[in-house]
Amino acid sequence: MDLDDDKRAKRRKTQTEDDDDDDHHHHHQPQPTAMETLPNEIIVDILSRLPITSLVQFKFVCKRWRALTQDPVLADMHLSWKADGNDPCLILHCDFPIRNQLYFLDLSAHNQDKDKVKRLYVPFQASMPEFDVVGSCNGLLCLSDSLYNDALYVHNPFTMDCIELPKSRQYSDQELVFGFGFHPKTKEYKVVKIVYYRNTSSYSRARRTVYPQSDVQIYTLGSSSWRSLGKVSYQFVRRPSEALVNGRLHWVSRPRRYHPARRLISFDLADEQFREVPKPDCGGLNRCNFHLSVLGGCLAAAVYGNYGKLEIWVMKCYNVNESWVKQFTIGAYMPKCLKLNLDRHRPLKIWKTGSNGKVVRVLCLLNSGEVLLEYKNRVLVSYDPKKGKFRDLVFQGLPNWFQTVVHTGSLNWLNTLH
């Protein structure tokens, strides 16, 4: 082949490559992925079944998915899916002085994160370094200022959404009892603040301070201000509502001189009325040693008996006295690490407020049928009622002291509440 033939061959090869490039340009555009071609309804259905930790990460994939994670339809579907037989998240509140922390544990995760406790970012920590958890509802936490009692926030710990509530009326000498919940019929979230107060000039010779006056204050999320419902005739135990069932918050009343029996009192978030709820016929509810919880969507009362025994009564049909059933009897148990007697390192405040000085607190029912328990604000334990066996749950990164809040991880978007 002479030089001219060689040049012609090279030109033909170059021309062929250019043609191939043109063909590639015109006929081989990047094809959309399968997820990009799926209708929104199917993507929403898929995403609604994921653990909250995975779902939060998906908003960083692309703009379309970020928009989806802000869609109230996905938030509602995810909530209903989580409520339908899935194990909850746990929020762990560690209230060491000066700098409180929130941690979370996703019991429904099916990956390596299942046994890991992760710390949550608290956006208002600088302005409210010490706080109490008022309650958890549909993925939202309500938190109150435990130092000055004047600030309240509603916060989604996974979307980082957060709003500060307007200030309500303060009294110079007061005690507060809170509640936070949602009513499925009115679709409204409300914060209840029961203020017990006294005039500073009044004097009491009683061993503990008596607050004879009361003021029930209500805030509906999305409204501009608090409303006062006037006084309440019950004196409640000084801890937030422990059970939200059927759109009603529940508290336990304190015994009074002429009314020694303790009462179960509900507050309906729809009609804003207090009502007495029938108690189980076990006698123990007239004593101090019991607390309320929600098991399988039902109101439950955990009654402490002799020698560390715990009876759990469940109201199978709400507000029907005859439907109270003693569902579990749990014997005395002490987790291994508590036998080492490490109480010397405990913060004083968490011991006073956590579980009223009692050893064990009932948290929730797990999918497996086991009962989840918290011992001395230190250890999470599952109890298998069929085998009568206890199991200490070990998690990487668990703080030394904590109060457990049963929580549903959600994308619930605060903008939709206004």
Side-chain angles (χ1 to χ4, degrees):
M1 181 184 291
D2 61 20
L3 193 59
D4 289 341
D5 290 341
D6 190 37
K7 285 180 179 177
R8 279 194 294 272
K10 282 183 178 177
R11 275 201 300 272
R12 280 197 299 273
K13 183 180 179 185
T14 304
Q15 183 67 44
T16 305
E17 287 175 350
D18 287 345
D19 290 345
D20 286 347
D21 285 346
D22 287 344
D23 288 346
H24 184 271
H25 180 72
H26 290 298
H27 302 296
H28 297 282
Q29 293 279 3
Q31 294 297 311
T33 64
M35 285 298 282
E36 287 174 324
T37 59
L38 284 176
N40 264 18
E41 311 88 76
I42 295 178
I43 294 179
V44 166
D45 186 60
I46 293 169
L47 295 181
S48 69
R49 298 162 193 261
L50 295 174
I52 184 62
T53 45
S54 303
L55 201 48
V56 168
Q57 292 169 354
F58 270 97
K59 70 180 182 181
F60 300 111
V61 172
C62 61
K63 286 182 179 178
R64 182 189 178 197
W65 286 22
R66 184 178 181 82
L68 273 176
T69 59
Q70 298 176 18
D71 186 344
V73 174
L74 175 58
D76 289 345
M77 282 186 69
H78 186 257
L79 267 177
S80 62
W81 181 256
K82 291 289 286 183
D84 189 19
N86 280 278
D87 284 335
C89 279
L90 300 178
I91 299 286
L92 308 176
H93 173 216
C94 184
D95 76 347
F96 274 99
I98 307 305
R99 192 163 177 80
N100 287 195
Q101 302 288 357
L102 291 178
Y103 299 82
F104 85 94
L105 183 60
D106 190 355
L107 298 180
S108 69
H110 299 292
N111 53 28
Q112 66 273 18
D113 289 339
K114 185 175 176 66
D115 297 323
K116 286 183 183 174
V117 175
K118 295 184 178 178
R119 203 170 104 184
L120 290 165
Y121 172 68
V122 181
F124 46 81
Q125 186 124 44
S127 60
M128 196 170 77
E130 295 191 27
F131 52 83
D132 293 322
V133 179
V134 169
S136 165
C137 179
N138 292 348
L140 302 179
L141 285 176
C142 181
L143 304 163
S144 67
D145 189 330
S146 58
L147 281 179
Y148 304 109
N149 293 325
D150 61 344
L152 279 163
Y153 288 84
V154 173
H155 169 51
N156 184 325
F158 294 103
T159 66
M160 294 301 149
D161 257 349
C162 176
I163 57 171
E164 183 177 2
L165 305 191
K167 296 288 190 287
S168 61
R169 183 176 179 183
Q170 298 287 311
Y171 298 87
S172 58
D173 192 1
Q174 63 180 22
E175 278 191 351
L176 303 176
V177 174
F178 286 105
F180 171 60
F182 173 80
H183 199 288
K185 288 184 179 173
T186 63
K187 308 290 185 189
E188 290 178 327
Y189 290 85
K190 292 181 181 179
V191 180
V192 181
K193 181 178 178 181
I194 304 168
V195 186
Y196 294 104
Y197 66 97
R198 62 174 182 163
N199 299 323
T200 50
S201 59
S202 63
Y203 173 74
S204 171
R205 296 170 63 180
R207 281 182 300 170
R208 69 175 179 83
T209 305
V210 175
Y211 294 90
Q213 320 270 5
S214 62
D215 182 19
V216 180
Q217 301 172 4
I218 306 290
Y219 179 77
T220 304
L221 261 66
S223 66
S224 58
S225 61
W226 292 76
R227 295 175 288 115
S228 174
L229 299 183
K231 62 184 181 181
V232 61
S233 57
Y234 306 102
Q235 287 277 339
F236 293 135
V237 174
R238 300 298 187 264
R239 54 179 183 253
S241 166
E242 296 172 310
L244 173 66
V245 179
N246 281 17
R248 294 184 181 189
L249 297 167
H250 296 80
W251 292 272
V252 179
S253 75
R254 279 179 164 171
R256 302 172 76 172
R257 179 178 296 176
Y258 301 110
H259 304 283
R262 289 174 175 271
R263 301 177 185 185
L264 295 185
I265 306 298
S266 72
F267 179 79
D268 192 317
L269 291 168
D271 66 17
E272 300 183 347
Q273 296 293 314
F274 288 98
R275 294 181 177 87
E276 192 166 344
V277 178
K279 297 182 299 189
D281 187 21
C282 62
L285 294 196
N286 289 336
R287 304 191 299 271
C288 302
N289 47 357
F290 80 101
H291 65 268
L292 302 177
S293 62
V294 180
L295 294 185
C298 298
L299 183 64
V303 184
Y304 299 98
N306 296 326
Y307 310 108
K309 187 176 75 171
L310 190 70
E311 291 181 353
I312 302 177
W313 291 73
V314 177
M315 189 184 241
K316 296 291 188 179
C317 184
Y318 186 75
N319 221 22
V320 176
N321 191 17
E322 296 74 24
S323 72
W324 279 109
V325 175
K326 183 164 68 173
Q327 190 158 345
F328 306 104
T329 300
I330 300 177
Y333 175 72
M334 188 58 69
K336 293 183 186 70
C337 73
L338 294 186
K339 293 175 184 175
L340 301 175
N341 195 20
L342 299 176
D343 287 1
R344 65 185 181 276
H345 297 302
R346 71 171 182 248
L348 180 63
K349 183 178 162 237
I350 202 170
W351 186 249
K352 283 183 174 176
T353 62
S355 54
N356 216 19
K358 293 297 170 185
V359 171
V360 60
R361 194 161 66 94
V362 176
L363 298 176
C364 63
L365 274 181
L366 299 176
N367 260 352
S368 60
E370 295 174 309
V371 184
L372 187 63
L373 307 165
E374 176 196 279
Y375 279 78
K376 278 198 170 185
N377 303 111
R378 292 287 311 275
V379 189
L380 294 170
V381 174
S382 67
Y383 172 74
D384 185 337
K386 292 178 182 174
K387 299 177 181 175
K389 300 277 188 182
F390 295 88
R391 183 166 54 96
D392 296 4
L393 302 181
V394 179
F395 300 104
Q396 183 183 332
L398 193 72
N400 289 331
W401 294 92
F402 54 86
Q403 291 167 266
T404 307
V405 179
V406 178
H407 184 75
T408 304
S410 162
L411 290 175
N412 211 345
W413 199 248
L414 283 169
N415 291 349
T416 66
L417 305 179
H418 293 293

